[in-house]
Amino acid sequence: MTPEELVAGHTVYSCVMGSRAFGLATEGSDTDVRGIYLAPTPLFWRFEKPPTHVEGPADEQFSWELERFCELALRANPNILECLHSPLVEHIDDTGRELLALREAFLSRQAHVTFARYALSQRKKLDADVRQHGAPRWKHAMHLLRLLTSCRDLLRTGELTIGVGAERERLLAVRRGEFSWPQVESWMTRLAAESDEAAATSPLPPEPDRARVAEFLFRVRRDSALKADAYDEVVQRVVPGGAGR
């Protein structure tokens, strides 16, 4: 089974991310699609395992195998967590709905560390641009402000919201270069400090609910293995005539 067939035939959830999901889209914005596919369990019974992720087949499309996605979400990877909270869902099946019902199980105070680490790496790139070119890439500055705001609000409320809401026009003004770099720096510093303060009293649990996620993964893998039709289809592809042995 090719990677493209896995995405086409076994996607359990897909959504639009990026500026369109954040409420920051402009006329030229791309449509970034992110998906999750469930590789049939019999594919894991070979030496060659199914891919943990697939880029494409469409432009701006990227998908993760369900287990890999859950691993990253349990580590509070910002890009992964946000996929489960996109307001723009393109496709979802029963397994995808179960995953969405679990999305709170992935949230924990670990997000403070992972979001902050990612934000720091992006801030260093912006600082380098300022040193080399006299100004940052304003689009990247806008998205970093959005991320810092999302982190602060997550730690304050225990809920991850990716839409920028009333901050849209202000953030788009940053993208257009209507704020000075010192003003944007001050904004970033304030948001980071507010996140640190919120982390101390956050309603989020210290750790994600790994046991709940593990039980979900076990069940979907087992159900996949027990589906005779799915099994026969995979065996026929891997070992010609194997289903009749």
Side-chain angles (χ1 to χ4, degrees), residues 161-186:
T161 302
I162 64 172
V164 299
E167 289 290 304
R168 169 181 163 81
E169 292 307 319
R170 194 174 177 213
L171 288 168
L172 287 176
V174 171
R175 177 173 179 161
R176 293 191 296 266
E178 295 174 7
F179 284 81
S180 68
W181 177 238
Q183 286 176 310
V184 172
E185 278 189 306
S186 177

Side-chain angles (χ1 to χ4, degrees), residues 14-210:
S14 65
C15 64
V16 174
M17 288 302 302
S19 294
R20 297 193 183 280
F22 303 144
L24 292 169
T26 59
E27 186 176 339
S29 293
D30 293 328
T31 299
D32 301 317
V33 177
R34 300 293 177 262
I36 305 166
Y37 58 91
L38 174 63
T41 300
L43 287 180
F44 291 90
W45 299 342
R46 305 183 301 170
F47 284 121
E48 183 182 349
K49 307 301 180 188
T52 58
H53 61 270
V54 176
E55 187 169 356
D59 293 339
E60 312 301 334
Q61 181 179 7
F62 192 96
S63 300
W64 297 269
E65 207 283 324
L66 178 63
E67 184 173 340
R68 177 59 175 166
F69 182 90
C70 288
E71 288 175 349
L72 294 172
L74 285 169
R75 298 177 195 170
N77 179 297
N79 294 323
I80 296 291
L81 289 179
E82 289 181 337
C83 287
L84 295 178
H85 296 263
S86 173
L88 304 176
V89 175
E90 285 204 328
H91 169 80
I92 190 167
D93 67 5
D94 288 342
T95 300
R97 278 184 278 273
E98 285 190 68
L99 178 63
L100 283 194
L102 272 177
R103 62 186 182 183
E104 302 306 321
F106 295 102
L107 298 179
S108 73
R109 273 176 260 168
Q110 289 183 3
H112 181 222
V113 176
T114 55
F115 277 59
R117 185 185 300 131
Y118 181 75
L120 179 60
S121 70
Q122 298 304 303
R123 175 65 182 272
K124 288 180 178 178
K125 293 178 181 178
L126 292 172
D127 288 337
D129 286 338
V130 173
R131 288 193 301 270
Q132 294 174 17
H133 309 294
R137 288 171 288 180
W138 292 112
K139 178 181 177 180
H140 292 190
M142 175 192 72
H143 281 298
L144 179 50
L145 287 167
R146 182 210 63 81
L147 179 73
L148 288 167
T149 301
S150 179
C151 177
R152 179 201 62 188
D153 293 346
L154 169 60
L155 292 168
R156 283 178 173 176
T157 67
E159 298 180 0
L160 182 58
T161 302
I162 64 172
V164 299
E167 289 290 304
R168 169 181 163 81
E169 292 307 319
R170 194 174 177 213
L171 288 168
L172 287 176
V174 171
R175 177 173 179 161
R176 293 191 296 266
E178 295 174 7
F179 284 81
S180 68
W181 177 238
Q183 286 176 310
V184 172
E185 278 189 306
S186 177
W187 188 355
M188 290 177 178
T189 300
R190 175 175 57 81
L191 288 170
E194 289 173 351
S195 293
D196 292 343
E197 182 181 349
T201 58
S202 177
L204 290 171
E207 301 283 339
D209 193 341
R210 299 175 188 277

